[in-house]
Structure formats: structure tokens, C-alpha cells
Amino acid sequence: MKQILLIASFMVLPLCAFAQDDVAAKVNANAVHAMSLHGDVKYGADFSHFDYTNPDAPKGGTLRMHAVGTFDTLNPFILKGVAAAPVSLTYETLTEQSDDEPFSAYGLLAESMELAEDNSFIRFNLRKEARFHDGKPVSPDDVVWSFETLREKGQPGYRAYYNDVERVEKTGDAQVTFFFKTTENKELPLIIGQLPVLAKHYWTQEGRDFTETTLESFPGSGPYMVSDVDPGKSLTLTRNKEYWGADLPVNRGRYNFDVITMDYYRDATVAVEALFADEYDFRQENIAKSWATAYDKAQAVKDGRIKKEVIDHSRPAGMQAFVMNVRKPVFDDVAVRRAVNYAFDYEWSNRQFAFDSYTRTNSFFENSELASSGVPEGAELALLEPYREQLPESLFEEPFVLPETDGSGNNRTQLREAIRILEEAGYKTGPDGIRLDPESGERLSFEILENQPAFERWTLPFIKNLKKIGIEASFRLVDTAQYQNRITDFDYDMTVLVIPQSLSPGNEQREFWHSSKADVSGSRNYIGIKDEVVDALVEKVISAPDREALVNATRALDRVLLWQYYVVPQWHLNAYRLAYWDRFGQPETKAPYDLNLIDTWWAKQP
């Protein structure tokens, strides 16, 4: 599956009580080491390490990773350029998420947190020992500058994510406070904890421009530093042996490799062969055909030097799909979008190309309790009822069901239904057999944009079926940089994307679906949705006062999105498929919500 960067989303329970007027005075009142929405956090203030780490793991060795594509910048915070994959290991955030709890975060750069009882502000008390790689301390000024710079100059997602923050102030020598516009955004305190803290003294030097790409490494406070860059080809990180936070409970047993390299390959097929040739150590396989046919032929797999492993996980699957851009006239009619769904023979494709290894995705919040099902009832129905006239009546009366075939490749029934939908909506065939828009007279024709060759075999049969119902589609493969630019500028008709989700959706939902983001270049409203009902439900998700309300609001949002047929859902797999050279140790306890390879595995000692 593709991976699309998403800032994680969590929720928080009020932790302490004091009035906003005396926030600066009560510096250490009711300071806590962690935050969580659902009752107590798992790890107490005196915890020594996360359960999914090995505190006695040896340090040393090299981990050789790979990526498909290229990179041209080390700055992942802006729209320009394609950022190198592992640079996140060089900087840190105010708090650290635990991967064996759904919605908890623990102090990292911040030693403790204090949240207003009415959720009107949160303050962070910074660790005085925290240092950037150049030795300078991490200060409240760095936090304030980072927040304001990311919101003003960073990717559009930061503006959406921090929309409900009124201001941030330095309120002590080692303290910073964020004041909120609303008290109803319950996840906002933990979102602020995920703020990347950058070195103000570096970025404000004369001649530096935060909005431009750069291949010059900049000082962070994280466990690794960039030690070598071969533009577009490879990146090397070296563990900072003077790392200030090495002995913190949130870090103990983590970041064990002395060196991490990331080599870039032009496509996945070449990358698989490079693994067998011992050019890198580890691969997470996302191509079912390769997993089923390529590995067992390799000598290193046969003799056990390369291990194959499938690890189940409990992460929400989100939505991987053919995504339609409704900014384009060809997709502005839901009848066309619905007919297009009938042209994708998932069952045959899964059997033909994936050895029946995938599960069809039926929800934007797949593999979680947040997914809608059946017909709306109870509190969910109450949320939808005010918008009944703006929604299809079938949404209230029928479960949403994707078209399904018998997998034989003979999907005439589905194609006949697609033709019926188009005919009923007035799309008649022209002289060349391609249907025409009843209003504009334009042909129903579009391009499917991709940067991964592996999707071509899934797409070409889809294109043939579209032709049978009178829709002309073409497939275009472009390089990673061009693809990134076209996605940023919404310069596509249809493409394959993953819209990931967390266990606790919240502020990021504005970035995915809200009207205010539809015309913002670089936003994650890839579809171009402008819908008052969707906007209202997004706000219900963000302001949900408790878990039950969050689940109902998310299910309602999911249901509305599905019935608009914005995407042609593809598939998911609730497990990691791993292949790696037998050179590593890993903790006995696995985290349910992340793989944790880079930060919890270690090199076996010779």
C-alpha cells in the first residue's frame, strides 16, 4: 500500500484546574507526566521504559533501509520538494506517543504538562537538560518560533491542525503556554504536544529561508544526526552518542543502531532484487504478488538468511482507493462516480493479482469501531436527521454496499447496472462510443495518474471495463517528483492514494474533507469536497465531548462520504509482511499500533 504522511491525532482528558488569568503565576500546579482521554495512562510517573522495548538492548551496528523514489530536501515541513524519509529521527516533539495505548502521550522535550480544567489552555514545562545537536538548549523561544513558523510557512496541514489555537506565549524560563479559541476541542492539547520543536537560532540566521528546499542538515534535538547526503540516492544518519534524552523512560531501549542508511530505488521490483543481493537489510512488502512469488525463489530465503514474517496489528486501515478529483467536471456528478465504482472488479483483481490475500475496504475508517455499518440508528441517526433533505434517502434506508462480483472476470451484471445509472442520468453515447455530458456535451474521459508501476496491472482491467460502459480512461506513470507536484497542485483526474486514520480522529479531518481546504494547494482534501453537511459533521467529530460521541460523529461522517462515491475503494491487510536479513534482535512484546523497527530493534552482536 501507498503511504501518505499524516500528522497523528489523539485526545486528552482534563488534568488540572486553574483560571486563565493566573496561568503565569501557577508554574508547577498539578503538573503531570502524561495525558490521555480514556481514564488513567498505562505508565505511571515512575515508569522505567515502554513494555514493547528492551531496556538492555545493545547499542551499535548499522541498519540499512530503502525507499522507492527520490528526495531533494531535508526539510519535511514545507510544500516544496520531496523530503528524505528518515529525517524525523533528527528532531523531537514536546511529548512522545506510546504505541501500546490508543491515545496517550508522555513528556519528551516537556518534563510535565498542565491543562486547564475548562480546556482553555495547556502549558508545557520544558526539560532544562534538553539540547540541540550544536549544544544550545531547547528554550520556550524555540517552541514559540516553531509553532508560529509552521502555522505561517509550513505545509497547509499545520494551519488546519492548529486552527483552534489563539496564541502561544513564553510564560517562564522553561515554560510555554498555548491558549485556545475554544474549550470544546478536547484533542487539541495532545496535538500541541506533537509540535516539532526546531532551532530558532539556526533558522533565523541571515540568508536562511525556511520556505525553500535544502540539503544542508540543520540542528535538531533528536537521537540521530545527518552525517552524509547523496542527493536523490541515499541518506546516512549517525546516532548522537551525546544525545541528551538517551536515558529518559520514553527512550530507554530505543534508538539502538549507531548508523541508519536509506538507499533509494527507482521502483519496487528493483528494490526486491536489491534485498536479495544484500544491498539493504529490511523490507516491508506491500505488493501481494511479490510476497507470494518472488521471495521463496531467493536462495537467501531458502537457507534462512532472510526471514519472512507476518505480524498482525490493530491499526485502523483508513482508505486506500482510486480517488476522484471532483474539481474536474468529469467527476462533479455523483451518478458518474457511482457508475465508475461498478467498473472495478475487485474480486477478480484480488484473485488475479493478489492471490486473494486482501480484504475489500468498506469504510474511510476501516478496521476500527469508527466505521459505519447497517443503517443509521440512535445518536448517529440524530446527527444525520437535520440534513435529511441534503442527503440521499437511501443513506437512511439501506446499508452502504460496494458492487460485488463472483471473481470470474465476467462482471456483466455490474456493468449493466453502471450503464443503467449513466443512461438514467442522461449520459448518451457519442459517435465514438464514449458518453457525453448532457449539459456540456463533453466526453466522459479522464486520466489515472500514478508513480508506482505495480498499480498498472490493477488499473488496466479497470480501464477496459470503463470503456465497456462508455467512459474513456488512460493510465499515466510519472516520476516521484512530478507526481508530488501534481498532487500538491490537484493536477489530476484520478489517482491512487491512502487516506490514513488514527484511533482518535479529530482536527486532521478538516484537512481531509472541509470546504475551507478544498482550494488550498497542498492540503489533504485530495477529493476537493465542498459540502455543508460534511463540514458540519467534521466539526462534530472535533468537538466530541467523549468517546461515544466521537464514535457516532465519525460513523455519520463516514456514511455521508461513502454515499457520495468520491472514491473507488481498494483493499487493506491487517498485518505487516516483513522480510529481513537475520541480523537483528527484537523485543518479545510487540506494540499493537506500530511496527517500531527503527527505534526498538537492535543489531545482533558478532
Side-chain angles (χ1 to χ4, degrees):
M1 293 182 196
K2 286 187 167 185
Q3 299 298 319
I4 298 294
L5 178 63
L6 174 68
I7 308 172
S9 170
F10 307 94
M11 283 201 165
V12 66
L13 183 69
L15 299 169
C16 55
F18 38 83
Q20 182 169 319
D21 291 341
D22 63 354
V23 63
K26 297 187 179 181
V27 176
N28 292 311
N30 299 317
V32 296
H33 74 291
M35 299 184 290
S36 175
L37 174 64
H38 302 295
D40 296 333
V41 295
K42 176 178 179 179
Y43 299 97
D46 59 348
F47 82 104
S48 62
H49 63 90
F50 292 136
D51 289 347
Y52 52 87
T53 67
N54 174 9
D56 299 318
K59 306 291 185 184
T62 297
L63 174 65
R64 300 173 303 163
M65 304 289 288
H66 86 288
V68 173
T70 187
F71 70 95
D72 59 9
T73 184
L74 299 183
N75 184 352
F77 306 108
I78 60 173
L79 274 180
K80 286 187 179 180
V82 179
V87 293
S88 61
L89 294 169
T90 65
Y91 60 85
E92 292 179 306
T93 51
L94 292 165
T95 62
E96 177 72 5
Q97 172 197 351
S98 65
D99 290 324
D100 56 354
E101 299 172 89
F103 320 114
S104 296
Y106 296 77
L108 179 54
L109 286 172
E111 183 175 33
S112 62
M113 294 76 70
E114 303 170 46
L115 178 63
E117 186 177 54
D118 64 356
N119 200 49
S120 60
F121 66 84
I122 188 170
R123 65 167 67 137
F124 295 91
N125 300 308
L126 302 182
R127 298 184 191 272
K128 295 182 179 180
E129 67 270 28
R131 292 289 184 276
F132 290 108
H133 296 151
D134 58 8
K136 295 186 181 296
V138 178
S139 72
D141 290 332
D142 295 307
V143 178
V144 172
W145 182 88
S146 297
F147 176 82
E148 293 177 343
T149 301
L150 290 173
R151 188 157 68 168
E152 177 184 350
K153 300 178 179 180
Q155 295 187 28
Y158 289 112
R159 287 189 285 280
Y161 218 45
Y162 303 144
N163 183 66
D164 286 339
V165 178
E166 179 181 286
R167 69 185 190 281
V168 56
E169 294 180 4
K170 175 182 177 180
T171 49
D173 291 340
Q175 186 185 89
V176 62
T177 303
F178 293 81
F179 298 92
F180 303 153
K181 297 176 183 177
T182 174
T183 60
E184 295 181 355
N185 192 333
K186 299 302 182 182
E187 75 164 359
L188 191 55
L190 268 90
I191 286 176
I192 298 302
Q194 297 162 359
L195 173 73
V197 179
L198 309 177
K200 176 183 177 181
H201 65 271
Y202 171 86
W203 286 106
T204 55
Q205 291 178 22
E206 185 176 353
R208 300 201 187 282
D209 186 348
F210 185 79
T211 65
E212 295 297 327
T213 62
T214 179
L215 289 172
E216 177 183 330
S217 62
F218 48 89
S221 62
Y224 286 90
M225 300 181 291
V226 175
S227 55
D228 186 64
V229 180
D230 187 353
K233 296 180 179 179
S234 68
L235 183 77
T236 301
L237 303 180
T238 301
R239 185 166 60 87
N240 180 12
K241 296 184 179 179
E242 303 299 321
Y243 173 43
W244 72 273
D247 294 326
L248 293 178
V250 294
N251 288 331
R252 198 164 292 132
R254 303 173 68 196
Y255 311 119
N256 301 311
F257 297 103
D258 279 349
V259 177
I260 297 174
T261 63
M262 183 70 75
D263 290 333
Y264 283 75
Y265 295 88
R266 66 175 182 269
D267 62 50
T269 301
V270 174
V272 171
E273 294 303 319
L275 174 70
F276 300 153
D278 200 9
E279 294 183 11
Y280 64 92
D281 297 315
F282 171 90
R283 177 174 174 78
Q284 182 177 336
E285 185 55 72
N286 294 322
I287 300 176
K289 182 178 179 181
S290 295
W291 185 254
T293 63
Y295 286 84
D296 292 342
K297 298 177 182 178
Q299 184 59 43
V301 176
K302 292 179 180 178
D303 61 29
R305 287 176 295 153
I306 291 180
K307 300 291 187 184
K308 286 181 66 180
E309 187 175 2
V310 176
I311 300 176
D312 293 334
H313 64 72
S314 301
R315 297 172 63 180
M319 173 65 77
Q320 177 175 305
F322 292 106
V323 172
M324 291 174 257
N325 184 356
V326 301
R327 303 172 185 86
K328 305 292 186 176
V330 67
F331 290 131
D332 64 4
D333 186 347
V334 68
V336 173
R337 302 196 298 267
R338 186 181 174 202
V340 165
N341 266 268
Y342 277 89
F344 180 51
D345 190 344
Y346 164 76
E347 287 74 22
W348 177 84
S349 298
N350 189 33
R351 180 178 300 174
Q352 190 77 8
F353 305 128
F355 301 85
D356 275 330
S357 62
Y358 290 134
T359 300
R360 188 81 191 268
T361 297
N362 292 286
S363 165
F364 286 89
F365 302 88
E366 187 70 51
N367 197 37
S368 77
E369 66 173 334
L370 303 161
S372 60
S373 62
V375 296
E377 299 176 341
E380 183 193 348
L381 177 60
L383 287 172
L384 294 168
E385 194 64 51
Y387 311 107
R388 181 179 283 271
E389 293 185 2
Q390 298 163 263
L391 296 170
E393 190 61 32
S394 51
L395 179 150
F396 294 92
E397 298 176 349
E398 307 170 17
F400 179 83
V401 179
L402 289 170
E404 185 175 350
T405 73
D406 61 9
S408 68
N410 182 0
N411 61 333
R412 292 178 183 175
T413 301
Q414 288 70 31
L415 296 180
R416 282 197 296 268
E417 178 62 15
I419 291 171
R420 185 197 66 78
I421 293 168
L422 292 171
E423 291 281 352
E424 191 174 273
Y427 293 87
K428 306 301 182 183
T429 54
D432 60 356
I434 302 304
R435 295 182 183 275
L436 305 176
D437 187 299
E439 296 183 4
S440 69
E442 294 293 323
R443 299 165 76 248
L444 288 187
S445 176
F446 64 88
E447 177 186 86
I448 303 173
L449 183 70
E450 250 307 316
N451 71 328
Q452 294 189 22
F455 278 101
E456 185 170 12
R457 64 177 179 270
W458 293 82
T459 305
L460 294 183
F462 181 35
I463 289 174
K464 289 182 180 179
N465 284 337
L466 287 166
K467 184 71 174 292
K468 293 176 182 178
I469 65 173
I471 298 177
E472 181 182 65
S474 60
F475 179 80
R476 174 169 292 189
L477 188 68
V478 298
D479 62 41
T480 301
Q482 185 179 353
Y483 182 80
Q484 178 83 36
N485 290 334
R486 290 189 61 175
I487 295 298
T488 297
D489 294 336
F490 307 127
D491 182 20
Y492 53 89
D493 301 326
M494 175 184 283
T495 188
V496 177
L497 291 172
V498 174
I499 303 175
Q501 294 292 349
S502 74
L503 289 162
S504 179
N507 288 255
E508 78 290 340
Q509 302 303 307
R510 286 195 187 114
E511 185 74 1
F512 287 147
W513 325 116
H514 202 278
S515 300
S516 62
K517 302 301 175 183
D519 297 324
V520 178
S521 179
S523 84
R524 291 192 293 266
N525 188 343
Y526 304 113
I527 299 167
I529 299 172
K530 292 182 178 179
D531 187 298
E532 293 181 358
V533 178
V534 171
D535 290 350
L537 292 174
V538 164
E539 296 306 318
K540 292 290 186 182
V541 170
I542 293 171
S543 62
D546 52 43
R547 181 67 183 178
E548 183 179 358
L550 175 67
V551 170
N552 286 316
T554 306
R555 289 176 178 172
L557 173 62
D558 184 40
R559 194 179 302 276
V560 170
L561 294 171
L562 289 171
W563 277 97
Q564 288 299 322
Y565 292 93
Y566 291 124
V567 302
V568 181
Q570 293 182 345
W571 54 83
H572 65 279
L573 181 69
N574 299 329
Y576 307 112
R577 292 181 296 215
L578 312 180
Y580 55 91
W581 285 83
D582 188 17
R583 298 166 178 155
F584 306 103
Q586 51 183 300
E588 292 183 6
T589 300
K590 302 290 192 297
Y593 305 125
D594 208 338
L595 182 56
N596 302 113
L597 164 68
I598 291 179
D599 63 321
T600 66
W601 290 27
W602 61 89
K604 290 181 180 178
Q605 300 302 299

